[in-house]
């Protein structure tokens, strides 16, 4: 993985932006020619960062708009005080959960694990705001999980039918989810009433409208509402957009034009089950009927989509897990889509939460974002016997940041009938960022479900995985997907070079690659409107990291200051 300092990345980004603006430093010769192409695309973006046709603005992705320092609660709850200490003879899960509950009931706190190895026979739940589970470091504190989620909760079937196990893409042995939401999910699973897992509850209609929203454009930071009575600064609200009979909202997510207009949407029943689009965002200011938002609008807001600010399930905020390794007892990887639920760390209905310095091993699925937004996963890794989904991002998860991550080479050969997907995004999830990563195995998986406006930047990948998704889930990509500075160590093209597949997207600075094995065809007919630049020149592009460069723009610093002033 490239070892860049934050100062160096930001300095390079600012220098490139300044050079592009003045037109200086173009130079001559092959090296200058390589750098000129991405500089031109970057210059385009810097002029219209909120409305560029191929590149999304993701400069505010992650915890508290991308804040580097996690705000850990000061109160400390040592697990030894609740009956748990290092050692594998006794189950430490009940004592750790008592400490987590006590911290939550006290209004927040850090549950501290000493160095050593702890046996956990049950799952650990972070169910209250401002609660952090903290070990002494991923190399010093280890939790050994002995049981999977099928044992602990029960079989979890798919709401789409068949014999699939939803533990293949849901739940974690460390599960960050608000208490009420977790209770409703588990009750439904045990009753075999397979639930929706998103922001509005087990069903799509469990929300209450706060106010209608007037028409606005993608990138706007403020919207006018019909009635501001129930909207206050600091509130977390849900922007809800409903598709119309002609599927113009889905067409808009795909970039619009003849291709999406001619596409057959009606038979994509799995995809349409995700509609409407639900985007959680914090309100930073209310002045009359004008409501200012923490992040710019991800899409246009049009009357035909019945735009509303609505309620949602109570989200988990300000909580995290850090400084530990979660290791499942080593069992063979299950056949595809039949996972038992030896899953790692999952965030569900979580906002402004995080994981830092966390490693998981021998898991079915590693780190999950399920209807989770504005979360940061930093310095995480997945290793051991191989995982179905090392990282999964689904069910309308937006504005998350996964940085300094690694998928380690598996320690045992893959059993027949299993699949490895790598870094996954699906289910209309948008504006998520994967930055500074190293995939020793895996791929860039979309699982269909038309994710859009996501960024993968400064990543090295040994591209040996396969993507998933069935036909009813719809397109592989929507608009404004960007792959920027990606080194493919084995020359396999699949899902990295996307200029011929993703509409209105950008492939900038990737390795020379060739097609083999899993080859996809475009979902949309006609001209895709996508761009490819600096092909064959990874790591020579400037800026090297698209996310860090966007954060270095003056508009980001201005927006961050405005958000802090509005909330505080």
């Amino acid at each position: 993985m490239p070892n860049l300092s934050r100062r160096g990345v930001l300095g390079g980004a600012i220098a490139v932006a300044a050079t592009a603006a003045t037109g200086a430093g173009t130079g001559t010769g092959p090296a200058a020619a390589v750098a000129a192409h991405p500089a031109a695309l970057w210059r385009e973006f810097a002029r219209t960062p909120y409305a560029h046709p191929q590149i999304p603005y993701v400069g505010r992705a992650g915890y508290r708009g991308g804040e580097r320092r996690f705000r850990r609660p000061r109160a400390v709850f040592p697990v030894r005080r609740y009956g748990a200490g290092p050692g594998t003879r006794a189950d430490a899960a009940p004592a750790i959960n008592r400490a987590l509950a006590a911290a939550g009931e006290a209004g927040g706190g850090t549950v501290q694990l000493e160095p050593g190895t702890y046996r956990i026979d049950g799952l650990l739940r972070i169910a209250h705001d401002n609660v952090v589970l903290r070990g002494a470091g991923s190399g010093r504190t280890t939790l050994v999980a002995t049981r999977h989620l099928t044992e602990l909760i029960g079989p979890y079937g798919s709401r789409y039918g068949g014999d699939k196990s939803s533990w293949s893409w849901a739940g974690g042995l460390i599960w960050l989810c608000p208490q009420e939401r977790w209770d409703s999910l588990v009750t439904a699973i045990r009753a075999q009433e397979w639930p929706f897992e998103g922001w509005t509850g087990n069903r799509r209609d469990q929300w209450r409208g706060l106010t209608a929203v007037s028409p606005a454009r993608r990138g706007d930071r403020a919207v006018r509402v019909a009635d501001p009575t129930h909207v206050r600064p600091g509130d977390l609200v849900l922007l809800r957009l409903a598709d119309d009979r002609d599927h113009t909202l889905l067409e808009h997510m795909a970039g619009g034009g003849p291709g999406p207009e001619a596409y057959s949407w009606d038979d994509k029943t799995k995809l349409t089950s995700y509609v409407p689009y639900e985007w959680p965002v914090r309100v930073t200011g209310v002045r009359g009927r004008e409501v200012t938002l923490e992040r710019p609008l991800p899409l246009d807001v049009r009357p035909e989509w019945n735009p509303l600010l609505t309620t949602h399930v109570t989200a988990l905020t300000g909580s995290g897990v850090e400084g530990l390794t979660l290791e499942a007892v080593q069992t063979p990887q299950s056949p595809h889509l039949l996972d038992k639920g030896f899953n790692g760390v999952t965030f569900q209905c979580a906002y402004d939460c995080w994981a830092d310095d966390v490693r998981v091993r021998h898991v079915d699925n590693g780190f999950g974002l399920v209807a989770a937004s504005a979360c940061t996963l930093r310095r995480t890794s997945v290793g051991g016997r191989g995982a179905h989904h090392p990282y999964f991002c689904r069910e309308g998860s937006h504005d998350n940041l996964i940085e300094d991550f690694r998928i380690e080479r598996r320690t045992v050969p893959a059993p027949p009938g299993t699949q490895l997907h790598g870094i996954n995004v699906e289910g209309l999830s948008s504006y998520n960022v994967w930055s500074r990563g190293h995939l020793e195995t895996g791929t860039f998986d979309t699982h269909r479900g038309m994710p859009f406006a996501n960024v993968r930047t400064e990543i090295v990948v040994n591209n040996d995985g396969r993507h998933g998704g069935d036909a009813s889930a719809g397109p592989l990509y929507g608009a404004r997907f960007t792959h920027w500075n990606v080194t493919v160590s084995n020359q396999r093209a699949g899902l990295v070079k996307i200029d011929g597949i993703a509409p209105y997207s950008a492939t900038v600075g990737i390795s020379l690659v060739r097609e083999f094995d899993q080859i996809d065809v475009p979902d949309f007919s006609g001209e895709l409107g996508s761009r490819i630049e600096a092909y064959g020149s990874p790591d020579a592009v400037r800026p090297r990291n698209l996310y860090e460069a966007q954060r270095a723009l003056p508009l980001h610093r201005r927006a961050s200051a405005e958000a802090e002033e509005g909330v505080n």
Side-chain angles (χ1 to χ4, degrees):
M1 186 187 305
N3 185 17
L4 296 176
S5 69
R6 175 172 166 77
R7 179 179 298 176
V9 172
L10 294 182
I14 294 169
V16 168
T19 300
T22 61
T26 54
T28 58
V34 166
H37 287 290
L41 190 53
W42 171 255
R43 185 167 60 246
E44 287 180 18
F45 173 82
R47 284 198 298 265
T48 59
Y50 294 148
H52 193 274
Q54 284 90 14
I55 300 175
Y57 177 71
V58 293
R60 291 189 60 76
Y63 167 83
R64 294 182 63 89
E67 190 172 299
R68 300 296 301 177
R69 182 178 62 87
F70 301 123
R71 302 188 181 188
R72 301 174 177 91
R74 293 182 179 179
V76 176
F77 293 74
V79 295
R80 188 174 287 278
R81 183 188 304 167
Y82 296 87
T88 58
R89 290 188 175 184
D91 175 18
I96 297 172
N97 279 323
R98 285 195 296 272
L100 291 168
E105 291 163 4
T110 297
V111 173
Q112 186 69 53
L113 295 161
E114 300 173 14
T117 300
Y118 299 75
R119 191 186 98 204
I120 57 171
D121 298 338
L123 63 93
L124 304 182
R125 294 195 293 116
I126 300 177
H128 299 88
D129 294 348
N130 305 313
V131 173
V132 177
L133 177 63
R134 186 178 192 182
S138 61
R140 302 182 67 201
T141 299
T142 299
L143 306 176
V144 177
T146 64
R147 302 173 70 193
H148 49 67
L149 293 170
T150 301
E151 290 181 281
L152 296 170
I153 295 175
Y156 188 2
S158 169
R159 68 177 186 253
Y160 303 108
D163 61 352
K164 301 173 184 176
S165 167
S166 285
W167 297 129
S168 299
W169 54 76
L173 292 171
I174 300 178
W175 200 335
L176 294 89
C177 182
Q179 182 70 55
E180 185 178 356
R181 186 73 183 100
W182 193 86
D183 289 342
S184 70
L185 283 165
V186 170
T187 298
I189 292 167
R190 287 175 172 162
Q192 298 189 1
E193 297 171 353
W194 313 132
F196 280 95
E197 296 150 331
W199 284 101
T200 56
N202 292 348
R203 298 191 305 275
R204 281 294 183 198
D205 58 357
Q206 293 179 299
W207 53 270
R208 177 174 54 85
L210 299 173
T211 181
V213 181
S214 299
R217 299 297 301 272
R218 173 169 65 94
D220 287 350
R221 282 284 309 285
V223 296
R224 287 185 63 80
V225 300
D227 180 6
T229 304
H230 302 292
V231 181
R232 297 178 300 276
D235 285 354
L236 183 65
V237 297
L238 203 65
L239 173 66
R240 186 179 190 273
L241 302 177
D243 203 13
D244 60 10
R245 182 177 298 179
D246 295 327
H247 298 298
T248 59
L249 175 58
L250 289 171
E251 291 171 3
H252 178 55
M253 294 176 185
E261 290 173 4
Y263 185 75
S264 176
W265 299 99
D266 285 329
D267 61 346
K268 308 304 185 295
T269 53
K270 186 173 182 178
L271 174 66
T272 54
S273 77
Y274 286 107
V275 177
Y277 182 70
E278 296 165 343
W279 182 62
V281 65
R282 199 173 298 283
V283 173
T284 60
V286 179
R287 181 174 297 176
R289 291 173 54 200
E290 183 177 86
V291 175
T292 305
L293 305 174
E294 183 179 24
R295 292 175 172 81
L297 285 177
L299 294 166
D300 289 352
V301 173
R302 301 178 186 173
E304 55 266 36
W305 302 330
N306 189 28
L308 298 171
L309 297 183
T310 77
T311 61
H312 51 85
V313 299
T314 301
L316 183 73
T317 62
S319 295
V321 55
E322 55 189 39
L324 58 83
T325 291
L326 173 64
E327 181 173 306
V329 293
Q330 188 167 347
T331 58
Q333 186 176 346
S334 298
H336 190 230
L337 299 177
L338 297 177
D339 296 347
K340 301 289 188 182
F342 273 124
N343 297 347
V345 182
T346 291
F347 297 77
Q348 187 159 5
C349 297
Y351 195 94
D352 281 340
C353 294
W354 76 89
D356 185 23
D357 183 28
V358 177
R359 185 185 187 206
V360 299
R361 301 189 74 240
H362 306 318
V363 292
D364 295 335
N365 302 280
F367 292 88
L369 296 161
V370 182
S373 293
C375 296
T376 293
L377 278 59
R378 182 180 299 152
R379 298 189 300 163
T380 59
S381 63
V382 182
R385 53 93 156 148
H388 181 192
H389 296 98
Y391 292 83
F392 57 96
C393 178
R394 55 178 299 271
E395 200 82 18
S397 291
H398 314 290
D399 304 304
N400 296 293
L401 171 64
I402 301 94
E403 64 179 355
D404 299 313
F405 66 94
R406 181 178 293 271
I407 301 175
E408 301 169 14
R409 191 177 305 278
R410 63 187 307 145
T411 56
V412 297
T418 62
Q419 288 193 21
L420 171 67
H421 295 311
I423 53 176
N424 156 268
V425 59
E426 59 182 282
L428 299 178
S429 297
S430 63
Y431 293 85
N432 301 289
V433 177
W434 290 260
S435 172
R436 294 196 304 269
H438 199 134
L439 282 69
E440 296 172 5
T441 186
T443 193
F444 290 3
D445 172 40
T446 76
H447 257 55
R448 298 193 171 272
M450 202 172 71
F452 66 93
N454 295 281
V455 166
R456 292 152 172 163
T457 183
E458 200 176 351
I459 295 173
V460 177
V461 53
N462 179 51
N463 192 16
D464 63 357
R466 298 176 65 84
H467 75 74
D470 54 49
S472 68
L476 281 166
Y477 300 95
R480 296 182 303 285
F481 234 96
T482 300
H483 290 172
W484 187 290
N485 186 9
V486 178
T487 299
V488 184
S489 60
N490 61 344
Q491 296 186 309
R492 184 179 186 267
L495 297 184
V496 176
K497 185 176 182 292
I498 56 174
D499 58 295
I501 303 174
Y504 291 96
S505 293
T507 303
V508 179
I510 72 162
S511 302
L512 294 173
V513 292
R514 57 191 175 89
E515 295 285 2
F516 65 95
D517 194 15
Q518 190 171 15
I519 300 174
D520 293 294
V521 297
D523 292 293
F524 303 109
S525 58
E527 174 57 46
L528 291 176
S530 289
R531 301 272 293 275
I532 182 167
E533 305 217 30
Y535 180 41
S537 302
D539 218 33
V541 299
R542 297 294 181 270
R544 295 174 68 173
N545 187 294
L546 180 62
Y547 170 71
E548 296 286 1
Q550 290 191 13
R551 291 187 59 78
L553 289 172
L555 62 91
H556 172 79
R557 293 194 292 272
R558 189 166 60 248
S560 297
E562 291 171 357
E564 283 293 315
E565 182 180 353
V567 172
N568 296 335

